[in-house]
Amino acid sequence: MKKPSVIFLSFILLAGCSDIADRDFPTPEPAPAAVTDPQATVQTARLLANLRTTAESGRTLFGHQCSSLYGIGWSGDSDRSDVKSICGDYPALMGWDIGAIESGGDSNLDGDRFDDIRMRILESYARGGVTTIGWHTTNPVTGGTAWDTTPAVARIIPGGDLHDLYRGWLDRVAGFLASLRTADGVAVPVLFRPFHEHTGNGFWWGKGNCTAAEYVSLWRFTLEYLRDVRGCHNLLWVYSPDIVGSQDAYLEFWPGDEYVDILGLDAYDRTSWSLATDGVRLMRLLRHISHLRNKPFAFTETGIENNTAQPAWWTGTLLKAIESIPAAYVLVWRNKDSNHFFGPYPGCVSEEDFRKFVATDRILTEKDIAGIYE
Ligand code: BMA
């Protein structure tokens, strides 16, 4: 086997042999396995515990948005992913978006059918892969997109005039999440990442479009409703701000330690913000916050869009950034088409370097994470 399994890594860690022992920060108290949900399913609680030990042992699950649904020049093929076409294995983690589920239609905001998304999630789980789901939620005031920044949060939280509408939306979210079940009735664990990048002002739930108190109320209500009213016990809650400049900014909208399982960060490599320099500095800050809150860190969205100029981006930039922090996973955004892609694909400029990237011990693809639910 190319890389040690998760179980083996856990053993190494328990044996006290972690090579990522932190010298700069005090060792935090052990955290409960599933912080947000004492009734989390066994597979969900184990996933979180294993993500934590995997990160602490210096390994990172590689993730790619929509990887098995479409890629450059294809869509809907069975058993295909641009990542697999290059390295022979699926990403360890795949991301999906359920934006527009609230409207009750068949397809998400990108036109992907929910039935197809469910099928790909179940296939991935059957092979041992991990699922993360985001939600580019419709603006509940205008019916516009997530990018319609008309203030709306105050109107859907408890006490707001559109609160009942929002509960109905959550019922649809819960329906989809509950449908992620194997033939044996096992609920697929989901790293759920709603209302992301809220420290920026690009979405209606972002800074400037609602107050921190309103955001916290929205987060808590959403979690409690799905968990306590709808009984979704297959969720791990991932908090994922945009690029921030300080600990205070990262935690400005913090819903509380009991409401978050994983600390995320969405940060893309671009001319205005370099992952190689600004990114490595930011990882240092995230490493500190992760110790402080005693929660695993994940690089929840990143990538360089339409990379044609940096053939060594995977090992030269991304790997260096995640080497500076124990990251449970890293997810690059989707390969929609040749004008909007973030992952590798056969023939792309960084194809060879991507092979080197996934061949390192640090980066895990699907076959490397056997046992992550055990
Ligand atoms: C964004 C872009 C959009 C897409 C959205 C949700 O980053 O890829 O085209 O609608 O994600 O997938």
Side-chain angles (χ1 to χ4, degrees), residues 18 28 41-42 45 99 118 154 157 163 165 194 255 261 289 310 349 366 370:
S18 167
T41 66
V42 172
R118 180 186 308 105
I157 57 181
H163 183 60
L165 171 82
D261 293 300
I289 299 172
Q310 298 191 46
V349 70
E366 198 178 70

Side-chain angles (χ1 to χ4, degrees), residues 65 97 109-110 136 147 268 301 333-334 336 340 342:
Q65 186 79 357
D97 202 282
L109 75 166
D110 298 323
H136 279 85
W147 295 268
Y268 285 84
E301 266 189 50
W333 206 243
R334 63 198 184 122
K336 175 171 181 264
H340 185 60
F342 299 84

Side-chain angles (χ1 to χ4, degrees), residues 6 47 50-51 61 89-94 120-131 182 188-189 364-374:
V6 169
L47 173 63
N50 282 324
L51 284 175
L61 276 65
D89 195 14
Y90 281 102
L93 169 118
M94 287 192 270
R120 296 307 184 208
I121 290 174
L122 289 169
E123 287 169 358
S124 158
Y125 183 72
R127 292 188 305 258
V130 179
T131 294
T182 68
V188 176
L364 307 175
T365 53
E366 198 178 70
K367 287 180 184 144
D368 300 322
I369 60 163
I372 200 143
Y373 298 104
E374 289 165 13

Side-chain angles (χ1 to χ4, degrees), residues 71-269:
I72 305 301
W74 64 276
S75 177
D77 300 18
S78 60
D79 195 24
R80 188 166 178 181
S81 147
D82 285 344
V83 167
K84 185 173 178 236
S85 297
I86 291 185
C87 73
D89 195 14
Y90 281 102
L93 169 118
M94 287 192 270
W96 309 98
D97 202 282
I98 55 168
I101 199 151
E102 55 278 11
S103 315
D106 292 341
S107 304
N108 77 357
L109 75 166
D110 298 323
D112 307 330
R113 287 165 44 81
F114 291 114
D115 285 348
D116 293 336
I117 294 174
R118 180 186 308 105
M119 178 172 68
R120 296 307 184 208
I121 290 174
L122 289 169
E123 287 169 358
S124 158
Y125 183 72
R127 292 188 305 258
V130 179
T131 294
T132 180
I133 292 182
W135 186 22
H136 279 85
T137 322
T138 303
N139 185 308
V141 170
T142 62
T145 68
W147 295 268
D148 175 341
T149 55
T150 308
V153 177
R155 302 200 36 200
I156 60 171
I157 57 181
D161 63 317
L162 297 177
H163 183 60
D164 286 348
L165 171 82
Y166 185 61
R167 290 171 83 102
W169 286 10
L170 288 181
D171 288 335
R172 289 194 167 124
V173 170
F176 181 77
L177 294 170
S179 76
L180 301 176
R181 267 178 198 279
T182 68
D184 299 338
V186 175
V188 176
V190 171
L191 297 154
F192 191 46
R193 195 173 66 92
F195 307 122
H196 65 310
E197 298 174 20
H198 58 280
T199 50
N201 63 2
F203 297 117
W204 55 262
W205 56 83
K207 186 176 167 81
N209 307 321
C210 68
T211 67
E214 287 162 358
Y215 182 89
V216 168
S217 170
L218 176 64
W219 184 280
R220 289 186 178 182
F221 175 77
T222 303
L223 186 154
E224 285 167 352
Y225 188 80
L226 290 178
R227 181 190 62 190
D228 304 334
V229 178
R230 297 300 313 236
C232 296
H233 297 299
N234 55 333
L235 305 184
L236 296 169
W237 290 76
V238 187
Y239 174 83
S240 55
D242 208 333
I243 293 166
V244 291
S246 70
Q247 180 176 316
D248 286 350
Y250 187 89
L251 296 172
E252 186 180 352
F253 296 75
W254 183 245
D257 288 355
E258 294 77 42
Y259 291 86
V260 175
D261 293 300
I262 293 180
L263 302 182
L265 175 74
D266 290 13
Y268 285 84
D269 195 11

Side-chain angles (χ1 to χ4, degrees), residues 309-323:
Q310 298 191 46
W313 186 79
W314 301 99
T315 59
T317 299
L318 182 59
L319 190 60
K320 295 224 158 47
I322 55 182
E323 270 169 358

